[in-house]
Amino acid sequence: MRLAKTRSQATTACRAGHVRVNGATAKASQAVRLGDEVRVRQHGFDKVYRVTGLPVRRGSADEAAKHFEDLTPPPLPRVERPAEIVRDRGAGRPTKRERRDIDRLRGRDGEG
């Protein structure tokens, strides 16, 4: 499978433990079979693939992409957060009333 741009990048990822085949950490020279599930940690996210075919010879990335299926779940939606409250420089500490207003805006009611 061709999930890294170069062989040396793939080897480095395997040695770092970022590649798993059927739940077990993979070695760089490990062979995969039809139906194997491959998990790769790329850019901080896990990607999941299933092997659907084995190419006869090493080819381009486009040709290699035909031999695996992407099972990666869609990313979770981002949670909207209110904008940070900015106070004028030199305004000092907020008063008790202002702190309560700030907590109310941030969703903290001050209970507990």
Side-chain angles (χ1 to χ4, degrees):
M1 285 181 33
R2 180 120 178 241
L3 302 176
K5 190 170 182 177
T6 65
R7 288 183 181 200
S8 62
Q9 287 176 346
T11 301
T12 303
C14 288
R15 286 184 180 157
H18 297 299
V19 180
R20 296 180 157 274
V21 176
N22 295 327
T25 304
K27 292 185 177 181
S29 62
Q30 182 172 346
V32 293
R33 293 185 267 258
L34 290 175
D36 281 353
E37 180 182 279
V38 180
R39 288 184 176 268
V40 181
R41 185 112 176 125
Q42 290 177 332
H43 310 292
F45 298 100
D46 279 341
K47 299 201 178 232
V48 183
Y49 301 98
R50 178 178 295 133
V51 180
T52 59
L54 298 173
V56 178
R57 61 181 178 81
R58 188 170 186 265
S60 68
D62 293 333
E63 189 171 321
K66 297 175 188 174
H67 297 285
F68 59 87
E69 176 184 2
D70 190 0
L71 302 176
T72 306
L76 297 174
R78 290 187 166 213
V79 178
E80 290 287 328
R81 292 182 50 192
E84 283 294 316
I85 298 168
V86 180
R87 294 181 52 83
D88 293 332
R89 188 170 177 86
R93 292 179 54 178
T95 64
K96 191 169 191 173
R97 173 183 271 172
E98 290 171 334
R99 280 199 315 267
R100 287 179 179 159
D101 291 340
I102 290 169
D103 287 342
R104 204 171 298 117
L105 280 173
R106 290 183 175 163
R108 297 181 285 193
D109 293 336
E111 297 173 6

